[in-house]
Amino acid sequence: MTDKYDVIVIGAGPAGYHAAIRCAQLGLSTACIDKSLDGGGKPVLGGTCLNWGCIPSKALLDASHKFAEAQHGLAALGIRTGEVSIDLDVMMARKGEVVKGLTGGIAQLFQGNGVKALAGSGKLLAGRQVEFTPHDGAVQILQAGHVILAPGSVPVEIPPAPLTDDIIVDSKGALEFAAVPKRLGVIGAGVIGLELGSVWGRLGAEVVVLEALEEFLPMADERIARDALKILQGQGLDIRLGARVTGSEIRGKGAKRTVTVTYQDKSGEQHVEVDRLIVAVGRRPYTEGLLAPDCGVNLDERGFLYVNDLCATDAPHVYAVGDVVRGPMLAHKAMEEGVMVAERIAGKKPLVNYDTVPSVIYTHPEIAWVGRTEQQLKASGEPFNVGTFPFSVNGRALAAHDTQGLVKVLADAATDRILGVHILGAQASELIAQAVIAMEFDASAEDLGLTMFAHPTLSEALHEAALGVAGHAIHMVNRKKRK
Ligand code: FAD
Ligand code: NAD
């Protein structure tokens, strides 16, 4: 007999597990198929984000930041620490415990909500049938009323730097180094390169980041990117822009192996020798083995599953969400798409607002933004006003001895509607939520200016930047004409 479900979800990363839980909450019989295995070969839920992405990287970012603070940041506060050292085994084990706790939590949520977890591979066939190949056992054909595809993404590999053992690694390997490399190379000054470069740099590696583009973080606001570059370089990251990697060669044997990386810059061919190399040049949609030729789902020209604004594929009642579809490869975007599709299947009418997807880079200081950048607004010719406020004069930042960075608010010149908010600073990842809420409700800069913020908080910098749009931030001498 063919097992039947109202909804079958393929993939239990943030996109898939959110979709599955919401479907079950809405009374739909739901199964979620995932093929991931943990280091011990046991099925594990949570996808890239929980196992090899957001969560383990933040566990190491937070631990390494505390180490860096203990080494360099506490003396100014009158705290003497003596010699501080790391126990990498303990740090890694704690990271593993955090991951285990959260992935186990999803298993419990599935159980509690009545989602059937199926460990193995899923393949979409025609007519909303799904071929399920368990890790152990015979292939089964399942019938679904609706199918949600959420297979995620995998790292891009490049021919000049093929992954090799634990020497040339992708982001997953870089979360599992057994020792701190003395010299670490990173290809790509994108989000992963900066986050993992920061982790290992703080733990003691000499880090060289090779970035093909001349521009640093082109997706961020120019001013924020410029200031962030200076700060990160000041922390010791040797970020080389305009450096396109063209080759790599592993030399030596055993523990003495090193990698010579070849790259092209303005002056011609260059070489740098490192002990470990991280390849962080982007991710690609993962669709291997997912689709039968006659299933009716199409790919776009870049290999993503083709969907409309509501995440519907070309096959009726088949949806796709998360990294495998267009848009930023971010866990929160994946989650919102999963929930939207579940609710649409249940007859509700939610939308995902792609104009208010926040981006965060978890360096220190953090870099966070939502909406459009100043350079995008200039290019579009839309008139706008700008308010900025530096953390160097924010009371809470001074009290905490964490004053780097600024907040920048961009608002429409005619309507004062907030068009973008950009933050470089401690806890920017938390502060940006206030801007997202404001933009979600179409707030004006004046609305934020008229809102009361607790004192003393870092959030007051956002308040002041919003006031600054009209030229009347209180803690800054404004040269703009007052209104
Ligand atoms: P995934 O999380 O990739 O999950 C897909 C799941 O589907 C996987 O378990 C896979 O095994 C399974 N699967 C695939 N095909 C099949 C099949 N045919 N059958 C069965 N199962 C299948 N994003 C953020 O927003 N914030 C961060 O801080 C952040 N940090 C990151 C750090 C790193 C190092 C990396 C690599 C990524 C990070 N990301 C972050 C990105 C984030 O992890 C992804 O955007 C997110 O995981 C996408 O979710 P998803 O559900 O679409 O896919
Ligand atoms: P990315 O696209 O952010 O950066 C890749 C960089 O590599 C680019 O700047 C590119 O110019 C450079 N590059 C490509 N080929 C090169 C070469 N041959 N030589 C030198 N440089 C080269 O990709 P990523 O850092 O791998 O991250 C992948 C995805 O994961 C991102 O899209 C991001 O959305 C997601 N992610 C998010 C977070 C977060 O939200 N904090 C953290 C990690 C990853």
Side-chain angles (χ1 to χ4, degrees), residues 135-182:
H135 292 303
D136 45 4
V139 175
Q140 300 166 33
I141 303 298
L142 311 174
Q143 179 67 53
H146 307 265
V147 178
I148 304 176
L149 303 171
S153 63
V154 288
V156 168
E157 292 181 35
I158 51 171
L163 301 186
T164 313
D165 305 330
D166 59 345
I167 298 280
I168 303 181
V169 298
D170 59 15
S171 56
K172 186 176 175 200
L175 291 165
E176 287 162 5
F177 285 144
V180 179
K182 186 167 177 317

Side-chain angles (χ1 to χ4, degrees), residues 10-17 33-36 44 46-55 57-58 120-123 150-153 171-172 175 192 195-196 283 286 288-290 321-324 328-334 360 362:
I10 301 182
Y17 87 75
I33 305 174
D34 195 287
K35 65 179 173 187
S36 286
V44 73
T48 305
C49 170
L50 268 68
N51 292 286
W52 308 285
C54 321
I55 297 299
S57 61
K58 269 74 235 178
S121 301
K123 180 179 193 170
S153 63
S171 56
K172 186 176 175 200
L175 291 165
I192 292 181
E195 290 188 358
L196 295 183
R283 295 179 63 84
Y286 178 60
E288 270 88 335
L290 179 73
V321 289
D323 279 9
V324 80
M329 288 184 166
L330 295 173
H332 40 279
K333 174 262 194 188
V360 180
Y362 293 82

Side-chain angles (χ1 to χ4, degrees), residues 434-482:
Q434 305 171 21
V436 175
I437 295 168
M439 288 180 67
E440 191 62 43
F441 285 89
D442 268 341
S444 62
E446 186 182 29
D447 289 330
L448 266 190
L450 290 170
T451 303
M452 196 183 297
F453 285 71
H455 175 77
T457 56
L458 298 176
S459 305
E460 287 175 294
L462 174 62
H463 189 214
E464 291 269 21
L467 289 169
V469 169
H472 51 79
I474 297 295
H475 295 88
M476 255 171 78
V477 178
N478 296 290
R479 288 188 191 86
K480 280 185 198 168
K481 205 170 143 225
R482 286 166 178 69

Side-chain angles (χ1 to χ4, degrees), residues 383-402:
F384 62 94
N385 290 322
V386 188
T388 58
F389 195 80
F391 285 107
S392 57
V393 287
N394 169 272
R396 187 63 189 276
L398 284 159
H401 190 55
D402 212 344

Side-chain angles (χ1 to χ4, degrees), residues 269-306:
E269 190 170 281
Q270 312 287 345
H271 304 279
V272 60
E273 195 179 9
V274 294
D275 301 300
R276 292 286 182 278
L277 179 64
I278 304 175
V279 183
V281 295
R283 295 179 63 84
R284 63 175 174 84
Y286 178 60
T287 55
E288 270 88 335
L290 179 73
L291 306 172
D294 59 349
C295 71
V297 172
N298 292 308
L299 305 186
D300 72 13
E301 57 291 348
R302 294 185 304 147
F304 291 86
L305 297 186
Y306 178 75

Side-chain angles (χ1 to χ4, degrees), residues 157-459:
E157 292 181 35
I158 51 171
L163 301 186
T164 313
D165 305 330
D166 59 345
I167 298 280
I168 303 181
V169 298
D170 59 15
S171 56
K172 186 176 175 200
L175 291 165
E176 287 162 5
F177 285 144
V180 179
K182 186 167 177 317
R183 298 162 305 173
L184 174 67
V186 181
I187 310 181
V191 193
I192 292 181
L194 296 179
E195 290 188 358
L196 295 183
S198 293
V199 165
W200 293 107
R202 291 168 189 167
L203 296 180
E206 292 160 22
V207 181
V208 179
V209 184
L210 302 170
E211 168 56 53
L213 300 177
E214 293 287 348
E215 198 184 338
F216 182 64
L217 293 180
M219 64 286 202
D221 185 88
E222 265 171 16
R223 161 87 196 271
I224 299 281
R226 197 173 59 235
D227 289 7
L229 177 61
K230 266 195 222 136
I231 292 171
L232 294 174
Q233 285 175 328
Q235 291 171 3
L237 290 187
D238 177 357
I239 300 171
R240 302 183 191 174
L241 298 174
R244 174 170 293 281
V245 172
T246 52
S248 62
E249 191 186 341
I250 297 179
R251 297 177 190 204
K253 287 212 170 107
K256 296 224 166 108
R257 282 181 300 175
T258 61
V259 188
T260 304
V261 186
T262 305
Y263 64 94
Q264 284 291 135
D265 67 10
K266 270 191 236 140
S267 319
E269 190 170 281
Q270 312 287 345
H271 304 279
V272 60
E273 195 179 9
V274 294
D275 301 300
R276 292 286 182 278
L277 179 64
I278 304 175
V279 183
V281 295
R283 295 179 63 84
R284 63 175 174 84
Y286 178 60
T287 55
E288 270 88 335
L290 179 73
L291 306 172
D294 59 349
C295 71
V297 172
N298 292 308
L299 305 186
D300 72 13
E301 57 291 348
R302 294 185 304 147
F304 291 86
L305 297 186
Y306 178 75
V307 289
N308 66 12
D309 285 352
L310 303 176
C311 293
T313 69
D314 289 337
H317 303 283
V318 179
Y319 303 85
V321 289
D323 279 9
V324 80
V325 302
R326 82 285 173 270
M329 288 184 166
L330 295 173
H332 40 279
K333 174 262 194 188
M335 294 169 184
E336 290 305 316
E337 287 182 337
V339 169
M340 172 184 74
V341 164
E343 296 196 344
R344 287 208 157 248
I345 289 172
K348 297 174 182 281
K349 302 281 177 232
L351 294 172
V352 169
N353 183 355
Y354 291 98
D355 292 337
T356 55
V357 180
S359 296
V360 180
I361 306 176
Y362 293 82
T363 46
H364 192 88
E366 294 178 341
I367 306 163
W369 68 93
V370 58
R372 284 183 288 163
T373 60
E374 182 161 346
Q375 65 268 24
Q376 284 171 337
L377 291 173
K378 278 184 181 151
S380 72
E382 286 165 82
F384 62 94
N385 290 322
V386 188
T388 58
F389 195 80
F391 285 107
S392 57
V393 287
N394 169 272
R396 187 63 189 276
L398 284 159
H401 190 55
D402 212 344
T403 54
Q404 285 176 320
L406 73 153
V407 178
K408 178 170 179 178
V409 175
L410 300 163
D412 186 284
T415 65
D416 196 36
R417 186 167 161 253
I418 299 169
L419 301 174
V421 175
H422 304 269
I423 306 176
L424 171 67
Q427 297 186 41
S429 56
E430 302 291 343
L431 300 181
I432 200 67
Q434 305 171 21
V436 175
I437 295 168
M439 288 180 67
E440 191 62 43
F441 285 89
D442 268 341
S444 62
E446 186 182 29
D447 289 330
L448 266 190
L450 290 170
T451 303
M452 196 183 297
F453 285 71
H455 175 77
T457 56
L458 298 176
S459 305

